[in-house]
Amino acid sequence: MQLAHNHHKPSTHNKEIILVCEHITSPANAGSIFRLADAFGVKEIIFCGNQPDTGSSRLRKTARNTEKTVSFRASDTIKNTLQELHDLSFTSIALEITSNSIALSTIDSARLDKVVLVIGAESTGITADTLEQCNITTHIEMYGINSSMNVAQATGIALYELTRS
């Protein structure tokens, strides 16, 4: 029997996860990211650079009120944001396929208790300067002919992998 929302008991994990979004502007993607952040116990979302309109009806409809419960803020510079998080002992993981990225499934996430997951703009991904600043660059193994997927879908897969151990 399907459980009603009021019977749901959230699971927990032992990680402190912050999601850093570089130039995410789509209200639908941002709404999905809020919903995923709620589902995976993300501590905070930080929007860097260009940002979505958090008052957008499309964002609010997709987020299903999680934009009211998930902590978020804006930052003008991703460089300073990442440095501040590194100073707090966070490991930054860029989700981007590159010539040097490693498969997400190979990361030993059990050893990581403070994680910054960095995701990039819908059409251009994460900038080269940001990739250089991140501790790890990872990609999701793809089995079809396309080399990428929607940023919100990829974020969900990465959050699942990072929280399952």
Side-chain angles (χ1 to χ4, degrees):
M1 172 186 283
Q2 184 179 22
L3 291 179
H5 287 288
N6 59 342
H7 291 113
H8 169 71
K9 293 187 177 32
S11 298
T12 60
H13 56 75
N14 61 352
K15 301 200 183 304
E16 190 174 352
I17 299 175
I18 294 177
L19 190 54
V20 171
C21 305
E22 185 178 38
H23 302 295
I24 299 290
T25 58
S26 161
N29 284 336
S32 293
I33 289 165
F34 271 106
R35 201 159 170 193
L36 287 163
D38 174 73
F40 287 102
V42 169
K43 177 182 176 182
E44 180 181 36
I45 301 172
I46 305 172
F47 292 102
C48 298
N50 299 333
Q51 302 165 41
D53 174 8
T54 55
S56 155
S57 61
R58 178 71 172 140
L59 184 147
R60 290 192 327 267
K61 182 178 180 181
T62 308
R64 302 215 26 188
N65 290 318
T66 55
E67 81 283 4
K68 296 175 184 173
T69 59
V70 173
S71 176
F72 72 95
R73 64 184 167 100
S75 172
D76 290 334
T77 62
I78 194 167
K79 181 177 182 177
N80 293 345
T81 298
L82 288 175
Q83 186 57 57
E84 290 167 10
L85 294 168
H86 288 158
D87 290 346
L88 294 171
S89 300
F90 279 86
T91 299
S92 56
I93 301 174
L95 184 58
E96 185 72 61
I97 190 165
T98 71
S99 58
N100 298 320
S101 59
I102 61 172
L104 178 61
S105 61
T106 66
I107 294 176
D108 184 4
S109 60
R111 296 180 51 210
L112 302 173
D113 58 345
K114 296 176 83 170
V115 176
V116 175
L117 180 62
V118 180
I119 59 173
E122 290 87 349
S123 59
T124 57
I126 299 171
T127 62
D129 288 343
T130 299
L131 287 171
E132 193 173 298
Q133 192 178 4
C134 289
N135 301 118
I136 300 169
T137 301
T138 189
H139 64 268
I140 297 166
E141 294 172 290
M142 304 284 289
Y143 300 101
I145 59 171
N146 199 338
S147 64
S148 68
M149 65 177 68
N150 174 276
V151 66
Q153 293 170 337
T155 300
I157 291 167
L159 289 171
Y160 175 78
E161 283 288 327
L162 292 171
T163 58
R164 68 186 186 104
S165 59

